Amino acid sequence: EGSGALVLDERGHEAGQDDELLTGEAVDDVAAQLDALAERAPASQALVSSFNPLLLDRMGRRRPGTALALLTRAGALDDWRSRVEMLGARAVHPAQAGLSRDRVEEIRALGYGVNAWTVNTRERAVELFDWGATGVFTDRVHELGGLDGGGDRAAETTAGKR
């Protein structure tokens, strides 16, 4: 099954969506949803993420050109680069817990987006953005919306993902 998150820009306006692949069956369902979204709103942006690189690979084969992102758990970033390169992913979605400035800067220096999860305080969101993060997932978009970051900063809500 898949799970979706609305992506909001720094002003709190809808900027796209992130779909998380949770099971093998979700690949075809999410691909069909993305096909329908592309038909209805050709300028829309979607990013498909998963902790499971096999599901991301399957999505990449099912729907070439789909933006992919590798989700990682706290402390599980040791082999991020090889997995992201193998998948052709555009971003890494690391857990914010334990995420360091050095790691954010390393990932960004190689041209990948960094969208940390789950960031529920304004102070941590600002810190991550100051380090170069491109976005955050939050359960509190009403509190974090309107971050003054410019560039490609985004707040993403995980409402309904639990």
Side-chain angles (χ1 to χ4, degrees):
E1 187 164 312
S3 177
L6 177 65
V7 180
L8 303 176
D9 67 16
E10 66 275 3
R11 295 175 311 281
H13 298 120
E14 185 174 339
Q17 74 180 46
D18 175 82
D19 288 299
E20 179 182 352
L21 297 177
L22 302 174
T23 68
E25 292 79 30
V27 172
D28 289 332
D29 291 344
V30 170
Q33 290 172 16
L34 293 176
D35 290 341
L37 178 64
E39 222 172 274
R40 284 191 320 272
S44 64
Q45 298 178 19
L47 187 63
V48 176
S49 61
S50 182
F51 290 102
N52 187 331
L54 296 174
L55 295 179
L56 289 173
D57 180 63
R58 188 169 162 191
M59 175 58 78
R61 286 184 280 114
R62 164 66 173 78
R63 197 168 188 279
T66 298
L68 303 174
L70 180 67
L71 276 160
T72 62
R73 300 189 194 291
L77 277 169
D78 292 338
D79 63 346
W80 74 268
R81 187 174 178 185
S82 61
R83 292 189 291 160
V84 168
E85 287 176 353
M86 176 192 71
L87 294 165
R90 295 186 190 172
V92 179
H93 291 179
Q96 64 87 22
L99 185 60
S100 69
R101 174 190 291 268
D102 289 343
R103 186 64 76 172
V104 172
E105 290 175 350
E106 172 192 10
I107 295 168
R108 293 293 292 141
L110 291 169
Y112 299 102
V114 176
N115 302 305
W117 60 273
T118 297
V119 180
N120 284 330
T121 66
R122 179 171 287 279
E123 296 77 21
R124 180 62 167 158
V126 168
E127 178 179 54
L128 290 164
F129 285 133
D130 286 346
W131 293 351
T134 51
V136 298
F137 291 89
T138 184
D139 295 321
R140 299 191 176 114
V141 72
H142 59 284
E143 295 172 26
L144 299 185
L147 285 171
D148 183 25
D152 53 1
R153 287 189 187 187
E156 300 181 5
T157 177
T158 56
K161 289 186 89 168
R162 298 194 198 283

